[in-house]
Amino acid sequence: MPNTQPSAFDNQSDGQHLVLVGNGDSHLHIAAHAERLIRHGARVTLVTQQDFAFSDWLGGMLGGEWQHEDVRLPADRIVAHGGAHVRAEVTRVERQKRRITLGGGQQLDYDWLSLDLPPVVDEHAIPGFYHAKGVFTPAPDDLWQLRQQLETRLASATGTLPAIAVIGGGPTGVELAANLLALGERYGRRLPVALIGNDRRPLPGACQRANRWLTQRLLRRGLRLELVATAARYDRHQLILDDGSAVDADLLLVTDHLRPSPTQALFDLTPDEAGHFDVDTMLRSREDSRLFLARETPPAHDRPLTTRERAALLLESLDQTLSGESRTLRHDQFERWKALNLGDLRDIAWRGPLWCRGRWVRRWKHRRDRREVAHYLGNA
């Protein structure tokens, strides 16, 4: 039987009921600021079987800086901010009735519902890639398993180390690749790591100077960097790129060949040819105005939103919806400083044309991250 907080299934008629389905990064931000929504008289219920993971520490966990329990944030801490938590999976959706059914047969009615479900690997994206010795995603359990496997090999004085290919560039790919290098550096050995990205720069949103510094630093540390490249297939311990070149890869860490969670199919929404769902500027589904789709990119954005930008946009959209107010959402309103843990005590941060790097960026990032975690936990 699912564990429920007393207010999760009450039948109060006063106040709008917002249900958050999924343990994605945006819902962590909403849960941490649920008081802001509750001030409008709303009830906020989080439905997820899994706990949250603090995504800014996943790279550091892979690189040996954090432990698995450090990145796990209990979902039930939403109660510290006035919300309720239901530890269950959604088994049925009735959008016309605005009702979801949970495991065990319990039902939950909603006025508004937000979906933020971590995606899963698309097993058909790269022919043959499941023949690799290991295929991992950026999920915390996968990254922890990869680290344990690599540390076993690194701690052995004999034997060759496995070659690892990170498939997917951008900030996530860069941070994970850099921390794989850092894991090897902790043991005084060089892990063979390759990063394959389809952009012209490692960090598409950063300026040219920031990308130049980052590229040079990663190359000096031993990273094989393949830009403007796409993985076409996997064959005999090698990843074959679209230009015919080969990258040695015993293990694959896949960050961008993903598809929506199977749970999202229960909502019976119609995707476009690229597999995306149409949303307005507030991340609200154009097919069902009662649904917010946290992982989609709103129109007029020429690049995918970062985790913090997406979370801030969703919180503002829900706040406007529950309050009945309407404020213009500017294109750059939610732009934030982005910072990456490169695993070598010299992090990089950027915002538009501005950028900085060094040890002080690491200290600033740590203070910011710890403050966010402590706020969500309610200093528990």
Side-chain angles (χ1 to χ4, degrees), residues 317-336:
S317 299
L318 292 172
D319 182 84
Q320 289 194 29
T321 299
L322 294 171
S323 67
E325 301 176 2
S326 179
R327 297 181 292 274
T328 302
L329 299 179
R330 301 191 313 274
H331 178 77
D332 61 346
Q333 181 177 351
F334 304 103
E335 185 176 5
R336 299 290 189 270

Side-chain angles (χ1 to χ4, degrees), residues 100-334:
I100 58 176
T101 302
L102 308 179
Q106 293 171 302
Q107 294 182 329
L108 190 61
D109 294 329
Y110 64 86
D111 295 290
W112 308 96
L113 188 143
S114 176
L115 275 176
D116 190 12
L117 298 158
V120 297
V121 171
D122 183 355
E123 60 271 19
H124 303 296
I126 305 174
F129 83 141
Y130 266 116
H131 291 113
K133 294 180 179 179
V135 179
F136 304 88
T137 71
D141 290 345
D142 271 18
L143 294 178
W144 182 252
Q145 181 183 355
L146 175 58
R147 171 180 158 183
Q148 298 299 297
Q149 184 173 332
L150 292 174
E151 285 191 307
T152 299
R153 302 286 290 273
L154 287 165
S156 174
T158 60
T160 59
L161 296 174
I164 312 152
V166 180
I167 306 174
T172 300
V174 167
E175 185 166 69
L176 294 177
N179 276 278
L180 284 169
L181 297 174
L183 186 63
E185 291 161 359
R186 285 176 179 270
Y187 286 85
R189 305 181 68 183
R190 175 171 288 188
L191 271 174
V193 182
L195 174 62
I196 295 95
N198 200 28
D199 293 296
R200 295 185 179 276
R201 298 176 177 180
L203 299 177
C207 67
Q208 185 174 353
R209 289 183 60 194
N211 275 279
R212 186 185 305 118
W213 176 86
L214 177 65
T215 299
Q216 292 174 350
R217 186 156 194 86
L218 292 175
L219 292 177
R220 283 199 301 268
R221 294 173 64 189
L223 180 70
R224 175 173 176 177
L225 188 58
E226 295 284 350
L227 298 177
V228 198
T230 303
R233 70 182 191 279
Y234 184 82
D235 183 38
R236 297 178 184 178
H237 307 291
Q238 289 188 321
L239 199 61
I240 310 302
L241 305 184
D242 52 354
D243 63 357
S245 60
V247 176
D248 291 338
D250 300 302
L251 306 175
L252 304 178
L253 177 49
V254 185
T255 69
D256 68 351
H257 289 75
L258 307 174
R259 59 181 175 85
S261 166
T263 302
Q264 188 155 319
L266 297 174
F267 288 83
D268 196 27
L269 299 173
T270 305
D272 60 19
E273 294 181 356
H276 300 294
F277 299 92
D278 193 16
V279 296
D280 62 15
T281 56
M282 298 176 67
L283 294 174
R284 186 184 297 177
S285 168
R286 295 190 190 275
E287 193 172 345
D288 184 342
S289 61
R290 293 284 173 169
L291 294 183
F292 291 83
L293 305 178
R295 291 187 173 266
E296 298 301 320
T297 300
H301 284 260
D302 55 359
R303 59 171 177 79
L305 299 176
T306 65
T307 298
R308 280 185 169 78
E309 291 168 347
R310 188 183 306 280
L313 172 58
L314 180 62
L315 179 59
E316 176 64 23
S317 299
L318 292 172
D319 182 84
Q320 289 194 29
T321 299
L322 294 171
S323 67
E325 301 176 2
S326 179
R327 297 181 292 274
T328 302
L329 299 179
R330 301 191 313 274
H331 178 77
D332 61 346
Q333 181 177 351
F334 304 103

Side-chain angles (χ1 to χ4, degrees), residues 41-57:
R43 293 175 293 137
V44 180
T45 301
L46 171 66
V47 178
T48 175
Q49 189 77 33
Q50 294 80 28
D51 288 323
F52 291 115
F54 190 61
S55 60
D56 277 45
W57 287 352

